[in-house]
Amino acid sequence: AQSVTQLDSHVSVSEGTPVLLRCNYSSSYSPSLFWYVQHPNKGLQLLLKYTSAATLVKGINGFEAEFKKSETSFHLTKPSAHMSDAAEYFCVVSERGTGGFKTIFGAGTRLFVKA
Amino acid sequence: DTGVSQNPRHKITKRGQNVTFRCDPISEHNRLYWYRQTLGQGPEFLTYFQNEAQLEKSRLLSDRFSAERPKGSFSTLEIQRTEQGDSAMYLCASSTRQQGSYEQYFGPGTRLTVT
């Protein structure tokens, strides 16, 4: 069965320090994996995607994620947090299998950035 | 290209009334998706269209919900006999195949409040 687990509901970092948002997934097929960001009162914006090409994926605003099949993980990182990074982040799995097309969002991780 | 648009942005209705939301996808995107997002949760998939064909429906989409995409362009989501549990943000997204995946572009959402 397909599922997405975001291991932390809240993460708090200081400005200028690294960010790590963790995501584990399960999938019966070869999934596409995404990270989206949602700022308050704004729409979901795609940060980056993995589609079976390079396992280290670079996205917008300095974010990147590494696909690790052996660990079924797709953690999101950024070397140095900025105040504007404070938002809700969603890990997403999308695949087509015998059960049809499915897209599943994780429950989200809220990132707080302290000055 | 102005992105995915949704109307109305906010809707307040009384329990038992019918409501209809509209989504205009990015032009030439052949796939269109509907999601529901409640407070503190990630979006939940409701249904998706490829062109005018509705290819997948979640079990969350009860008989009171119906979605159409008559000409393969805009889509409508209707909720009949609304209940307080229908209060949520309804999100629309569209996509087309790019580099092996269907990354989804989201609209701003329609916030429904059922009193």
Side-chain angles (χ1 to χ4, degrees):
Chain A
Q2 187 188 39
S3 68
V4 179
T5 303
Q6 292 186 240
L7 297 166
D8 306 290
S9 60
H10 299 86
V11 170
S12 182
V13 301
S14 297
E15 191 174 23
T17 64
V19 175
L20 170 64
L21 306 182
R22 299 181 294 166
C23 173
N24 284 104
Y25 72 93
S26 67
S27 174
S28 303
Y29 302 93
S30 298
S32 295
L33 298 165
F34 307 84
W35 276 97
Y36 282 84
V37 60
Q38 189 173 39
H39 291 274
N41 299 316
K42 293 192 175 181
L44 286 156
Q45 181 183 19
L46 179 68
L47 277 179
L48 49 79
K49 66 178 182 181
Y50 167 78
T51 57
S52 75
T55 56
L56 183 62
V57 181
K58 294 188 183 299
I60 61 172
N61 300 335
F63 285 94
E64 62 182 40
E66 186 171 8
F67 173 70
K68 292 186 176 180
K69 188 174 181 179
S70 61
E71 299 177 9
T72 61
S73 69
F74 190 57
H75 302 334
L76 182 70
T77 60
K78 182 173 181 177
S80 176
H82 191 274
M83 296 296 289
S84 61
D85 294 327
E88 188 90 18
Y89 292 79
F90 294 98
C91 181
V92 182
V93 175
S94 185
E95 67 176 14
R96 171 173 292 283
T98 56
F101 170 81
K102 296 185 189 301
T103 295
I104 295 182
F105 279 71
T109 298
R110 181 162 294 278
L111 176 65
F112 296 94
V113 182
K114 299 174 290 187
Chain B
D1 187 354
T2 57
V4 179
S5 62
Q6 293 186 247
N7 288 289
R9 294 291 305 276
H10 304 271
K11 179 70 176 179
I12 300 174
T13 190
K14 292 185 177 180
R15 189 177 55 186
Q17 297 295 305
N18 299 342
V19 294
T20 299
F21 310 141
R22 176 176 170 130
C23 171
D24 287 89
I26 294 171
S27 58
E28 298 180 357
H29 274 194
N30 60 342
R31 289 192 173 185
L32 186 148
Y33 313 77
W34 285 100
Y35 294 84
R36 180 175 68 189
Q37 185 178 21
T38 53
L39 200 61
Q41 299 296 318
E44 297 173 294
F45 172 77
L46 293 177
T47 188
Y48 97 99
F49 294 82
Q50 180 153 310
N51 301 313
E52 66 276 8
Q54 188 174 18
L55 297 186
E56 196 80 29
K57 290 170 60 173
S58 163
R59 64 179 184 277
L60 294 174
L61 212 66
S62 76
D63 291 343
R64 296 185 297 106
F65 288 70
S66 63
E68 295 182 345
R69 194 183 184 198
K71 297 182 180 179
S73 57
F74 73 92
S75 175
T76 58
L77 177 68
E78 180 182 16
I79 308 175
Q80 297 182 325
R81 305 181 302 282
T82 53
E83 302 172 356
Q84 287 188 322
D86 296 331
S87 296
M89 178 75 85
Y90 289 84
L91 297 170
C92 176
S94 70
S95 72
T96 190
R97 190 171 180 84
Q98 291 178 326
Q99 298 175 335
S101 73
Y102 285 89
E103 59 193 69
Q104 297 176 35
Y105 294 83
F106 283 82
T110 295
R111 183 169 296 283
L112 173 65
T113 301
V114 181
T115 62

